[in-house]
Amino acid sequence: QVLLVESGGGMVQAGGSLRLSCAASGRTFSTYALGWFRQAPGKDREFVAAISWSGTSTNYTDSVKGRFTISRDNAKKTVYLQMNSLKPEDTAIYYCAARRGTIARMVGNYDYWGQGTQVTVSS
């Protein structure tokens, strides 16, 4: 069982930055691949970024490449999403998720989810 709690969301102007954190509980955190997803009002939840259990492999959706960076600290059982050059279209609830095995981009591939944190980017 893995419990995930996101933090770090808020309101920021376009061009600004935020860093999201996701703290996990559970003894086997270091064996899980982790992902960040987001869901805007009226839209499906979509993949943003993922990182392997070791942190050596990452994957991003095209719209955030070069702006967002996913990282993890297994000793602190925490995954981060550094978001720079934010745009109004990045506005959404951001969720972290965990799965055993390799990186995945599909919502259905993840077993555990946090409650989400709101990110609002004003123009």
Side-chain angles (χ1 to χ4, degrees), residues 30-45:
S30 62
T31 65
Y32 285 82
L34 300 167
W36 284 99
F37 291 76
R38 65 188 179 187
Q39 188 166 17
K43 295 188 176 182
D44 293 336
R45 192 169 299 188

Side-chain angles (χ1 to χ4, degrees), residues 1-2 26-34 51-55 72 74 77 98-103 111-112:
Q1 182 76 10
V2 177
R27 294 180 297 172
T28 58
F29 173 81
S30 62
T31 65
Y32 285 82
L34 300 167
I51 189 166
S52 62
W53 67 270
S54 64
R72 66 189 293 165
N74 285 342
K77 295 184 179 180
R99 70 182 301 270
R100 291 188 181 274
T102 58
I103 285 177
D111 303 307
Y112 304 101

Side-chain angles (χ1 to χ4, degrees), residues 36-48 90-95 107 113 117-119:
W36 284 99
F37 291 76
R38 65 188 179 187
Q39 188 166 17
K43 295 188 176 182
D44 293 336
R45 192 169 299 188
E46 64 173 3
F47 171 76
V48 176
D90 294 318
T91 295
I93 299 174
Y94 282 71
Y95 299 88
V107 170
W113 292 85
T117 186
Q118 177 71 47
V119 171

Side-chain angles (χ1 to χ4, degrees), residues 70-110:
I70 188 170
S71 61
R72 66 189 293 165
D73 185 332
N74 285 342
K76 295 182 178 180
K77 295 184 179 180
T78 302
V79 60
Y80 305 97
L81 186 68
Q82 177 67 44
M83 306 186 295
N84 299 327
S85 302
L86 282 161
K87 304 175 181 180
E89 51 263 44
D90 294 318
T91 295
I93 299 174
Y94 282 71
Y95 299 88
C96 70
R99 70 182 301 270
R100 291 188 181 274
T102 58
I103 285 177
R105 296 169 63 99
M106 303 291 288
V107 170
N109 290 135
Y110 285 79

